[in-house]
Amino acid sequence: MLDFGAGREKTGVENAAAFQAAVSAVADFGRGTVDFSDLPLRFDGVLRFPPFVSARGGGAISFSPTSKWVFGNGRDRRAFKSQVQGIRFLRTLASANGAAIPRGSSFIEIDGCRELLINDCFFYGAEVAISHPANSALPDHSNAMIVISNNHFGEVDYAWKASRHEDAPWGVNSDCVFSGNIVNRAYESHVHCDSIDGVTVTDNTFFFLTHNQNREGGSPRVLEKKNNIYIGESNWVHIHNNNCFEAGTEAIKLSAARTANITGNNIAWPGQVVPSDGIHISGHETGESLRLVATSNQITYYTRHAIYVEGAAQACSVGLNSVIYDDHPPTYLGAEPLGVGTAHNRYHFADSVGIMPIVDDGFSPRAGEGDRYPSTAGVGLATFSRLEKFAGSSTAQSTASFSPGGSAPTFTCRDVERAGKEYGALVVITAKRRAVTDARSSTYILMVSKASSDSGPVETVVLISSGGWIKGESTEDPSFTWALVNDVLVASSVGATKGIGFVFFATATGNLLIS
């Protein structure tokens, strides 16, 4: 680079001319690498790289507010087979609290470039450090196979932002990797993709401004932070082993997702600005339905749900995950009330999911850590584990009121495939006068079955054993007999038993989904 007239005493404009001359000279050879030296250099201009030209260096390049490096001609997709390695991209800012970042600034712009590796670099002071600008002219898969690895980002709004113009195909960005990076810090989002057809985000550490920096004298931008990772319309998304700290909204959010695998992430204190989920997944509204795996994640102090799923799904598997809920987390900065634990769930599946999700975790009895299944599964269903085609284990809870000798429905019964024709299982029901620890309780072990016959279905309940307050000597006794009527398990009060709000907890093991 120095051979082409660049130097530490030269102006940014002079160095920009030298940079372009060096890049053009290497391009004339057909391929090669430009060495940007170890000296600190100023840069003021737009440096355009052709295919097969790489850049490396060990020094710092100080960019003016509008300067950037561009890979791609903005009109078509081209294979670059290039690398940017070991360069320190810097801007001198008046402050280090996010207020001095130049609007519209970037360091590297990818605009019709395929096969580019950016590694071992340092980025400081940009709205978007690495940008895919919105461009209506680019065809499908124009910005593809971009690998961004082992870099350090600081004082940026976004570390990597892949935008999409509304007139561009949703797969204009595709098959990219963001791995092994440290972002300390971003002010809005660390990784943001409007749309992408294939992306891996793995082994990164993401920092925002901390909740403590909302005190007087802290950064005025602490309330602007959003997601650690946001992915819009997408397919083939892999998000693994990231440390996601202090998101203002959802730590990981996918909108219009098709296939997603989210595993092994440490998610600490999300939803600090508005009540939000740790992981939020929305399936595609009109395209392929959702296929999701979300497991082995650690989610602490979410302010809405730990994992939220909505949209039609083909397959949905969640768990094992570790979650911690608190009614009043010390990290919450927002003005909107959080509500009580019953307004929050560990796993919340909207009715639009439409299928029975596979949940490998057991039931959590702690406030804010219950599960909400789609209504297609039954309103009272708490947990369900599919053991094989015709066997499973499900738990459910219901409430009913009784007059003396009266009857009330408690649970709906179906086979595990939800066809409703034939089923059978061992069902253990604990009945309590109230949903408190010291309330009177009884336990009933039942064999529940439905079978076909020439004269119609035969519904059967056999009491195997019972214990507790089963004699009905007091109105407070949870004493009942049981029958199966039109796929509904009906309880009938015994003796003096009566009152409002008896609570039932059921576990079914076999070919029976109880809800």
PDB file of all heavy atoms in Angstrom, residues 20-43:
ATOM      1  N   GLN A  20      -7.313   2.853  -3.893  1.00  0.00           N
ATOM      2  CA  GLN A  20      -7.958   2.406  -5.121  1.00  0.00           C
ATOM      3  C   GLN A  20      -6.934   1.998  -6.171  1.00  0.00           C
ATOM      4  O   GLN A  20      -7.128   1.021  -6.918  1.00  0.00           O
ATOM      5  CB  GLN A  20      -8.867   3.500  -5.665  1.00  0.00           C
ATOM      6  CG  GLN A  20      -9.802   3.024  -6.769  1.00  0.00           C
ATOM      7  CD  GLN A  20     -10.846   2.035  -6.250  1.00  0.00           C
ATOM      8  OE1 GLN A  20     -11.727   2.392  -5.473  1.00  0.00           O
ATOM      9  NE2 GLN A  20     -10.735   0.782  -6.677  1.00  0.00           N
ATOM     10  N   ALA A  21      -5.810   2.712  -6.231  1.00  0.00           N
ATOM     11  CA  ALA A  21      -4.757   2.351  -7.188  1.00  0.00           C
ATOM     12  C   ALA A  21      -4.177   0.981  -6.871  1.00  0.00           C
ATOM     13  O   ALA A  21      -3.911   0.168  -7.782  1.00  0.00           O
ATOM     14  CB  ALA A  21      -3.656   3.415  -7.166  1.00  0.00           C
ATOM     15  N   ALA A  22      -3.980   0.691  -5.580  1.00  0.00           N
ATOM     16  CA  ALA A  22      -3.438  -0.611  -5.186  1.00  0.00           C
ATOM     17  C   ALA A  22      -4.417  -1.727  -5.507  1.00  0.00           C
ATOM     18  O   ALA A  22      -4.034  -2.796  -6.017  1.00  0.00           O
ATOM     19  CB  ALA A  22      -3.103  -0.600  -3.691  1.00  0.00           C
ATOM     20  N   VAL A  23      -5.700  -1.504  -5.204  1.00  0.00           N
ATOM     21  CA  VAL A  23      -6.721  -2.508  -5.500  1.00  0.00           C
ATOM     22  C   VAL A  23      -6.794  -2.763  -7.009  1.00  0.00           C
ATOM     23  O   VAL A  23      -6.868  -3.919  -7.463  1.00  0.00           O
ATOM     24  CB  VAL A  23      -8.084  -2.053  -4.939  1.00  0.00           C
ATOM     25  CG1 VAL A  23      -9.210  -2.920  -5.493  1.00  0.00           C
ATOM     26  CG2 VAL A  23      -8.082  -2.116  -3.417  1.00  0.00           C
ATOM     27  N   SER A  24      -6.750  -1.720  -7.806  1.00  0.00           N
ATOM     28  CA  SER A  24      -6.811  -1.878  -9.271  1.00  0.00           C
ATOM     29  C   SER A  24      -5.597  -2.626  -9.801  1.00  0.00           C
ATOM     30  O   SER A  24      -5.704  -3.437 -10.732  1.00  0.00           O
ATOM     31  CB  SER A  24      -6.913  -0.506  -9.933  1.00  0.00           C
ATOM     32  OG  SER A  24      -8.096   0.162  -9.526  1.00  0.00           O
ATOM     33  N   ALA A  25      -4.424  -2.352  -9.231  1.00  0.00           N
ATOM     34  CA  ALA A  25      -3.207  -3.039  -9.671  1.00  0.00           C
ATOM     35  C   ALA A  25      -3.295  -4.531  -9.409  1.00  0.00           C
ATOM     36  O   ALA A  25      -2.903  -5.352 -10.257  1.00  0.00           O
ATOM     37  CB  ALA A  25      -1.998  -2.438  -8.963  1.00  0.00           C
ATOM     38  N   VAL A  26      -3.813  -4.911  -8.229  1.00  0.00           N
ATOM     39  CA  VAL A  26      -3.962  -6.339  -7.927  1.00  0.00           C
ATOM     40  C   VAL A  26      -4.996  -6.958  -8.855  1.00  0.00           C
ATOM     41  O   VAL A  26      -4.825  -8.091  -9.342  1.00  0.00           O
ATOM     42  CB  VAL A  26      -4.356  -6.532  -6.452  1.00  0.00           C
ATOM     43  CG1 VAL A  26      -4.706  -7.992  -6.176  1.00  0.00           C
ATOM     44  CG2 VAL A  26      -3.211  -6.095  -5.548  1.00  0.00           C
ATOM     45  N   ALA A  27      -6.073  -6.219  -9.134  1.00  0.00           N
ATOM     46  CA  ALA A  27      -7.104  -6.746 -10.036  1.00  0.00           C
ATOM     47  C   ALA A  27      -6.541  -6.998 -11.426  1.00  0.00           C
ATOM     48  O   ALA A  27      -6.953  -7.946 -12.116  1.00  0.00           O
ATOM     49  CB  ALA A  27      -8.278  -5.776 -10.108  1.00  0.00           C
ATOM     50  N   ASP A  28      -5.585  -6.165 -11.849  1.00  0.00           N
ATOM     51  CA  ASP A  28      -4.967  -6.350 -13.172  1.00  0.00           C
ATOM     52  C   ASP A  28      -4.205  -7.668 -13.254  1.00  0.00           C
ATOM     53  O   ASP A  28      -4.028  -8.221 -14.357  1.00  0.00           O
ATOM     54  CB  ASP A  28      -4.032  -5.188 -13.485  1.00  0.00           C
ATOM     55  CG  ASP A  28      -4.782  -3.892 -13.760  1.00  0.00           C
ATOM     56  OD1 ASP A  28      -5.998  -3.959 -14.041  1.00  0.00           O
ATOM     57  OD2 ASP A  28      -4.160  -2.812 -13.667  1.00  0.00           O
ATOM     58  N   PHE A  29      -3.720  -8.164 -12.112  1.00  0.00           N
ATOM     59  CA  PHE A  29      -3.044  -9.461 -12.088  1.00  0.00           C
ATOM     60  C   PHE A  29      -4.042 -10.624 -12.138  1.00  0.00           C
ATOM     61  O   PHE A  29      -3.631 -11.772 -12.277  1.00  0.00           O
ATOM     62  CB  PHE A  29      -2.186  -9.599 -10.827  1.00  0.00           C
ATOM     63  CG  PHE A  29      -0.885  -8.862 -10.909  1.00  0.00           C
ATOM     64  CD1 PHE A  29      -0.708  -7.665 -10.234  1.00  0.00           C
ATOM     65  CD2 PHE A  29       0.173  -9.362 -11.659  1.00  0.00           C
ATOM     66  CE1 PHE A  29       0.496  -6.978 -10.297  1.00  0.00           C
ATOM     67  CE2 PHE A  29       1.380  -8.689 -11.729  1.00  0.00           C
ATOM     68  CZ  PHE A  29       1.549  -7.484 -11.059  1.00  0.00           C
ATOM     69  N   GLY A  30      -5.301 -10.328 -11.975  1.00  0.00           N
ATOM     70  CA  GLY A  30      -6.329 -11.366 -11.995  1.00  0.00           C
ATOM     71  C   GLY A  30      -6.821 -11.761 -10.624  1.00  0.00           C
ATOM     72  O   GLY A  30      -7.985 -12.081 -10.432  1.00  0.00           O
ATOM     73  N   ARG A  31      -5.954 -11.716  -9.641  1.00  0.00           N
ATOM     74  CA  ARG A  31      -6.317 -12.019  -8.257  1.00  0.00           C
ATOM     75  C   ARG A  31      -5.136 -11.705  -7.364  1.00  0.00           C
ATOM     76  O   ARG A  31      -3.996 -11.599  -7.825  1.00  0.00           O
ATOM     77  CB  ARG A  31      -6.746 -13.478  -8.074  1.00  0.00           C
ATOM     78  CG  ARG A  31      -5.648 -14.498  -8.301  1.00  0.00           C
ATOM     79  CD  ARG A  31      -6.183 -15.913  -8.173  1.00  0.00           C
ATOM     80  NE  ARG A  31      -7.201 -16.201  -9.185  1.00  0.00           N
ATOM     81  CZ  ARG A  31      -8.442 -16.597  -8.878  1.00  0.00           C
ATOM     82  NH1 ARG A  31      -8.794 -16.751  -7.605  1.00  0.00           N
ATOM     83  NH2 ARG A  31      -9.309 -16.859  -9.839  1.00  0.00           N
ATOM     84  N   GLY A  32      -5.407 -11.533  -6.050  1.00  0.00           N
ATOM     85  CA  GLY A  32      -4.323 -11.267  -5.118  1.00  0.00           C
ATOM     86  C   GLY A  32      -4.813 -10.540  -3.884  1.00  0.00           C
ATOM     87  O   GLY A  32      -6.024 -10.357  -3.673  1.00  0.00           O
ATOM     88  N   THR A  33      -3.857 -10.119  -3.048  1.00  0.00           N
ATOM     89  CA  THR A  33      -4.176  -9.496  -1.767  1.00  0.00           C
ATOM     90  C   THR A  33      -3.467  -8.157  -1.654  1.00  0.00           C
ATOM     91  O   THR A  33      -2.272  -8.046  -1.952  1.00  0.00           O
ATOM     92  CB  THR A  33      -3.741 -10.405  -0.598  1.00  0.00           C
ATOM     93  OG1 THR A  33      -4.440 -11.647  -0.696  1.00  0.00           O
ATOM     94  CG2 THR A  33      -4.046  -9.758   0.744  1.00  0.00           C
ATOM     95  N   VAL A  34      -4.209  -7.140  -1.194  1.00  0.00           N
ATOM     96  CA  VAL A  34      -3.642  -5.826  -0.923  1.00  0.00           C
ATOM     97  C   VAL A  34      -3.246  -5.771   0.547  1.00  0.00           C
ATOM     98  O   VAL A  34      -4.070  -6.026   1.434  1.00  0.00           O
ATOM     99  CB  VAL A  34      -4.652  -4.705  -1.233  1.00  0.00           C
ATOM    100  CG1 VAL A  34      -4.065  -3.348  -0.874  1.00  0.00           C
ATOM    101  CG2 VAL A  34      -5.049  -4.747  -2.696  1.00  0.00           C
ATOM    102  N   ASP A  35      -1.982  -5.440   0.814  1.00  0.00           N
ATOM    103  CA  ASP A  35      -1.479  -5.320   2.176  1.00  0.00           C
ATOM    104  C   ASP A  35      -1.600  -3.854   2.592  1.00  0.00           C
ATOM    105  O   ASP A  35      -0.949  -2.976   2.028  1.00  0.00           O
ATOM    106  CB  ASP A  35      -0.024  -5.780   2.239  1.00  0.00           C
ATOM    107  CG  ASP A  35       0.484  -5.869   3.671  1.00  0.00           C
ATOM    108  OD1 ASP A  35      -0.116  -5.234   4.560  1.00  0.00           O
ATOM    109  OD2 ASP A  35       1.480  -6.575   3.895  1.00  0.00           O
ATOM    110  N   PHE A  36      -2.446  -3.595   3.608  1.00  0.00           N
ATOM    111  CA  PHE A  36      -2.699  -2.224   4.041  1.00  0.00           C
ATOM    112  C   PHE A  36      -1.720  -1.765   5.128  1.00  0.00           C
ATOM    113  O   PHE A  36      -1.928  -0.723   5.734  1.00  0.00           O
ATOM    114  CB  PHE A  36      -4.144  -2.081   4.520  1.00  0.00           C
ATOM    115  CG  PHE A  36      -5.117  -1.957   3.377  1.00  0.00           C
ATOM    116  CD1 PHE A  36      -5.562  -3.082   2.704  1.00  0.00           C
ATOM    117  CD2 PHE A  36      -5.549  -0.724   2.956  1.00  0.00           C
ATOM    118  CE1 PHE A  36      -6.445  -2.973   1.640  1.00  0.00           C
ATOM    119  CE2 PHE A  36      -6.429  -0.598   1.883  1.00  0.00           C
ATOM    120  CZ  PHE A  36      -6.885  -1.727   1.227  1.00  0.00           C
ATOM    121  N   SER A  37      -0.702  -2.521   5.380  1.00  0.00           N
ATOM    122  CA  SER A  37       0.398  -2.177   6.285  1.00  0.00           C
ATOM    123  C   SER A  37      -0.064  -2.123   7.735  1.00  0.00           C
ATOM    124  O   SER A  37      -1.255  -2.218   8.049  1.00  0.00           O
ATOM    125  CB  SER A  37       1.058  -0.841   5.893  1.00  0.00           C
ATOM    126  OG  SER A  37       0.369   0.257   6.464  1.00  0.00           O
ATOM    127  N   ASP A  38       0.893  -1.914   8.618  1.00  0.00           N
ATOM    128  CA  ASP A  38       0.606  -1.815  10.043  1.00  0.00           C
ATOM    129  C   ASP A  38       0.522  -0.367  10.513  1.00  0.00           C
ATOM    130  O   ASP A  38       0.371  -0.115  11.707  1.00  0.00           O
ATOM    131  CB  ASP A  38       1.696  -2.537  10.851  1.00  0.00           C
ATOM    132  CG  ASP A  38       1.659  -4.045  10.619  1.00  0.00           C
ATOM    133  OD1 ASP A  38       0.576  -4.549  10.259  1.00  0.00           O
ATOM    134  OD2 ASP A  38       2.700  -4.697  10.789  1.00  0.00           O
ATOM    135  N   LEU A  39       0.653   0.581   9.606  1.00  0.00           N
ATOM    136  CA  LEU A  39       0.631   1.988   9.990  1.00  0.00           C
ATOM    137  C   LEU A  39      -0.804   2.488  10.155  1.00  0.00           C
ATOM    138  O   LEU A  39      -1.711   2.033   9.458  1.00  0.00           O
ATOM    139  CB  LEU A  39       1.336   2.840   8.933  1.00  0.00           C
ATOM    140  CG  LEU A  39       2.838   2.611   8.739  1.00  0.00           C
ATOM    141  CD1 LEU A  39       3.336   3.472   7.593  1.00  0.00           C
ATOM    142  CD2 LEU A  39       3.589   2.920  10.019  1.00  0.00           C
ATOM    143  N   PRO A  40      -1.027   3.447  11.038  1.00  0.00           N
ATOM    144  CA  PRO A  40      -2.340   4.097  11.084  1.00  0.00           C
ATOM    145  C   PRO A  40      -2.511   4.999   9.865  1.00  0.00           C
ATOM    146  O   PRO A  40      -1.623   5.791   9.533  1.00  0.00           O
ATOM    147  CB  PRO A  40      -2.293   4.908  12.380  1.00  0.00           C
ATOM    148  CG  PRO A  40      -0.846   5.146  12.638  1.00  0.00           C
ATOM    149  CD  PRO A  40      -0.124   3.948  12.100  1.00  0.00           C
ATOM    150  N   LEU A  41      -3.650   4.835   9.194  1.00  0.00           N
ATOM    151  CA  LEU A  41      -3.903   5.575   7.958  1.00  0.00           C
ATOM    152  C   LEU A  41      -5.284   6.216   8.002  1.00  0.00           C
ATOM    153  O   LEU A  41      -6.231   5.621   8.517  1.00  0.00           O
ATOM    154  CB  LEU A  41      -3.818   4.643   6.749  1.00  0.00           C
ATOM    155  CG  LEU A  41      -2.490   3.908   6.519  1.00  0.00           C
ATOM    156  CD1 LEU A  41      -2.641   2.864   5.434  1.00  0.00           C
ATOM    157  CD2 LEU A  41      -1.380   4.901   6.166  1.00  0.00           C
ATOM    158  N   ARG A  42      -5.393   7.414   7.437  1.00  0.00           N
ATOM    159  CA  ARG A  42      -6.692   8.062   7.298  1.00  0.00           C
ATOM    160  C   ARG A  42      -7.298   7.671   5.951  1.00  0.00           C
ATOM    161  O   ARG A  42      -6.587   7.455   4.968  1.00  0.00           O
ATOM    162  CB  ARG A  42      -6.548   9.580   7.400  1.00  0.00           C
ATOM    163  CG  ARG A  42      -6.199  10.058   8.798  1.00  0.00           C
ATOM    164  CD  ARG A  42      -6.294  11.582   8.890  1.00  0.00           C
ATOM    165  NE  ARG A  42      -5.214  12.220   8.137  1.00  0.00           N
ATOM    166  CZ  ARG A  42      -4.038  12.534   8.672  1.00  0.00           C
ATOM    167  NH1 ARG A  42      -3.776  12.235   9.935  1.00  0.00           N
ATOM    168  NH2 ARG A  42      -3.100  13.138   7.941  1.00  0.00           N
ATOM    169  N   PHE A  43      -8.649   7.633   5.924  1.00  0.00           N
ATOM    170  CA  PHE A  43      -9.328   7.248   4.682  1.00  0.00           C
ATOM    171  C   PHE A  43     -10.595   8.075   4.534  1.00  0.00           C
ATOM    172  O   PHE A  43     -11.431   8.136   5.439  1.00  0.00           O
ATOM    173  CB  PHE A  43      -9.679   5.753   4.705  1.00  0.00           C
ATOM    174  CG  PHE A  43     -10.488   5.300   3.510  1.00  0.00           C
ATOM    175  CD1 PHE A  43      -9.923   5.248   2.254  1.00  0.00           C
ATOM    176  CD2 PHE A  43     -11.819   4.942   3.654  1.00  0.00           C
ATOM    177  CE1 PHE A  43     -10.661   4.834   1.150  1.00  0.00           C
ATOM    178  CE2 PHE A  43     -12.562   4.518   2.567  1.00  0.00           C
ATOM    179  CZ  PHE A  43     -11.978   4.469   1.310  1.00  0.00           C
TER     180      PHE A  43
END
